[in-house]
């Protein structure tokens, strides 16, 4: 394994500390999390039996934690527990109960140890970015910083994506000595699909689509009209073209649907499209789990719009979901625990299927308890936005970043139906939204259309 992998993973906490010396703590946290996920290697040389893995998720979490401890320790005490934190808490501790229920290791002690190991891993991937989001982003100005960070990150990544579209996905190979994923899966439509330094081209596609949607609504809502002396419309157009070249059909569909949802909101003053987005994930999971829908229609639509290759991929996912659903039904409440125990194996001990969707993995490992926890957690911001604020409020420039961030959490939630590309970006965003939306109040203006991109003046907290 290349020495650059060791240098990057061990050196990232130092990079994070440098960022905290250069930037205000909140912006340093944003840059540290996004930078780690955008540029750290996919592999990890630090894998030891019965110990949590030190990978890019752990490195990014450690960097932000160290920076906060040294430069902004008071931030930790800004966290105020609420009922809305319960789904995340349950998601973090359910591995322990699942391990004990399955008698992993053959004794209570070994089961508890295995469960605690999974809790540590779960905490690094999910818990730390959520907690940091809850602590750092507690007002609308902070969410504006986060939205701008997401859009700028996309602009930074765009040239690297276009480079790999032209010359093939080789950046990870050049820097870290190996491809991030199977090179065959980067070949699309007679060219290449970029992976840059992320897990897969699918993750890059969703990241770029999310960044584009954020920029699109910042521009359309009037929250930001100019950046670096350039009109936002031009920057958004550049991002749209780059996302198209990422050649990820699912991400493109999500980008188009998200933009369509925002256009319905903008021109019709209606939240109906947002509500429809909220319902997609739970409806899919319930109908697939209960065997009420086979997914054949989705395969047909994929065939018509994206061709036989994409349709075959969707058909394979449906088949795998059916196998995992049958397997999960044997341990319905707390699942099979970790270590691939939820996998479907034939009589020769060979794996019969590959899990794709996050919901399938969550149910297989941690049963309905885990599935309910993660599903609720992912949807809380969008539900709060829909219940607590009117469409007129959504259209105000100072509220634009909040709406944009909420929409990309829905994009991530829907993507989790088909993929398990976990990124701390969306978890950080959800943490911030849950810190703000339950308690925020709107003061003043009664406008229907956004008119300016000035700093917030009429959004407040009690």
């Amino acid at each position: 394994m290349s020495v650059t992998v060791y240098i990057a993973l061990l050196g990232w906490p130092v990079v994070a500390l440098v960022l905290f010396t250069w930037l205000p703590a909140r912006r340093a946290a944003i840059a540290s999390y996004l930078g780690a996920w955008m540029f750290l290697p996919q592999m990890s040389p630090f894998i030891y039996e019965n110990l949590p893995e030190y990978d890019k998720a752990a490195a990014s979490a450690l960097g932000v934690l160290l920076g906060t401890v040294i430069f902004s320790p008071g931030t930790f005490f800004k966290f105020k527990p609420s009922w809305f934190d319960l789904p995340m808490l349950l998601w973090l501790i359910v591995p322990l109960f699942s391990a004990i229920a399955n008698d992993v290791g053959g004794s209570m002690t070994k089961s508890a140890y295995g469960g605690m190991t999974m809790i540590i891993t779960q905490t690094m991937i999910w818990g730390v970015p959520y907690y940091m989001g809850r602590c750092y982003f507690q007002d609308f100005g902070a969410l504006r910083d986060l939205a701008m960070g997401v859009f700028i990150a996309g602009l930074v990544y765009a040239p690297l994506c276009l480079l790999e579209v032209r010359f093939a996905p080789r950046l990870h190979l050049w820097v870290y000595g190996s491809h991030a994923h199977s090179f065959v899966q980067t070949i699309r439509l007679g060219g290449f699909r970029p992976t840059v330094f992320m897990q897969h081209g699918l993750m890059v596609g969703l990241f770029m689509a999310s960044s584009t949607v954020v920029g699109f609504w910042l521009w359309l809502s009037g929250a930001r009209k100019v950046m670096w002396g350039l009109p936002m419309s031009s920057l958004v157009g550049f991002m749209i073209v780059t996302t198209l070249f990422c050649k990820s059909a699912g991400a493109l569909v999500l980008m188009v649907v998200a933009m369509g949802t925002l256009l319905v909101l903008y021109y019709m003053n209606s939240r109906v499209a947002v509500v429809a987005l909220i319902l997609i994930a739970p409806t899919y999971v319930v109908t697939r789990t209960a065997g009420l829908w086979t997914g054949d229609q989705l395969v047909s639509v994929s065939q018509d719009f994206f061709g036989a290759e994409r349709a075959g991929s969707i058909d394979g996912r449906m088949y795998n979901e059916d196998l995992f659903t049958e397997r999960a039904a044997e341990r319905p409440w707390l699942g099979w625990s970790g270590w691939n125990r939820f996998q479907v194996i034939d009589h020769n001990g060979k794996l019969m299927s590959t899990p794709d969707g996050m919901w399938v993995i969550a149910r297989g490992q941690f049963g309905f308890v885990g599935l309910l926890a993660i599903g609720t957690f992912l949807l809380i911001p969008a539900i709060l936005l829909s219940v607590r604020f009117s469409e007129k409020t959504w259209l105000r420039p100072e509220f634009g970043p909040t709406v944009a961030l909420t929409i990309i959490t829905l994009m991530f939630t829907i993507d989790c139906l088909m993929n398990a590309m976990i990124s701390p970006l969306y978890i950080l965003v959800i943490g911030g939204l849950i810190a703000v939306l339950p308690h925020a109040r709107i003061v003043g203006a009664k406008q229907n259309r956004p008119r300016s991109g000035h700093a917030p003046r009429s959004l407040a907290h009690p």
Side-chain angles (χ1 to χ4, degrees), residues 28-257:
I30 296 171
S32 182
Y33 254 125
L34 287 173
W37 214 253
M38 291 163 65
F39 298 110
L40 287 184
Q42 282 303 315
M43 75 284 289
S44 171
F46 308 103
I47 301 176
Y48 304 101
E49 188 176 359
N50 298 323
L51 290 176
E53 182 177 353
Y54 182 76
D55 54 8
K56 69 191 300 181
S60 61
L62 181 60
V64 174
L65 287 173
L66 285 176
T68 304
V69 166
I70 297 173
F71 294 97
S72 185
T75 300
F76 288 112
F77 302 102
K78 293 181 179 180
F79 176 77
K80 297 178 181 178
S82 77
W83 292 107
F84 297 105
D85 297 316
L86 289 179
M88 173 53 73
L89 178 62
L90 182 58
W91 177 243
L92 295 180
I93 65 174
V94 70
L96 175 62
F97 299 110
S98 180
I100 293 174
N102 282 279
D103 195 24
V104 175
S107 69
M108 174 66 76
T109 302
K110 291 183 178 180
S111 296
Y113 180 83
M116 290 304 300
T117 301
M118 285 191 292
I119 284 179
I120 294 173
T121 301
Q122 200 96 313
T123 298
M124 285 297 182
I125 297 174
W126 297 86
V128 175
Y130 175 77
Y131 181 77
M132 291 291 96
R134 292 279 277 107
C135 292
Y136 272 113
F137 309 105
Q138 297 196 333
D139 56 54
F140 290 102
L143 291 179
R144 179 186 176 88
D145 280 353
L146 182 53
M148 290 300 301
V150 172
F151 184 58
I152 292 171
L155 289 172
V156 170
Y157 231 47
L160 303 180
C161 291
L162 295 176
L163 178 69
E164 290 201 337
V165 169
R166 175 63 182 85
F167 296 105
R170 291 177 178 156
L171 288 172
H172 200 281
L173 175 66
W174 291 340
V175 176
Y176 296 119
S178 67
H179 289 289
H181 198 79
S182 169
F183 186 79
V184 174
Q185 294 194 25
T186 69
I187 301 173
R188 284 291 181 273
L189 302 176
F192 299 100
R193 175 169 65 184
T195 58
V196 196
F197 298 103
M198 291 191 182
Q199 178 181 349
H200 195 282
L202 296 174
M203 178 178 278
V204 175
L206 183 64
F207 174 72
M208 296 301 292
S210 299
S211 179
T212 302
V213 168
V214 169
F216 173 75
W217 188 244
L218 290 177
W219 163 63
L220 192 62
S221 69
R224 191 72 183 245
K225 291 296 187 182
V226 178
M227 181 184 291
W228 306 325
L230 299 172
M232 279 290 287
S233 56
S234 299
L235 295 174
V236 171
F238 171 66
M239 287 295 295
I240 290 174
V241 171
T242 303
T243 305
L244 289 172
F245 276 113
C246 287
K247 301 176 184 178
S248 177
L252 290 175
V253 169
L254 286 173
M255 182 181 75
V256 170
V257 170

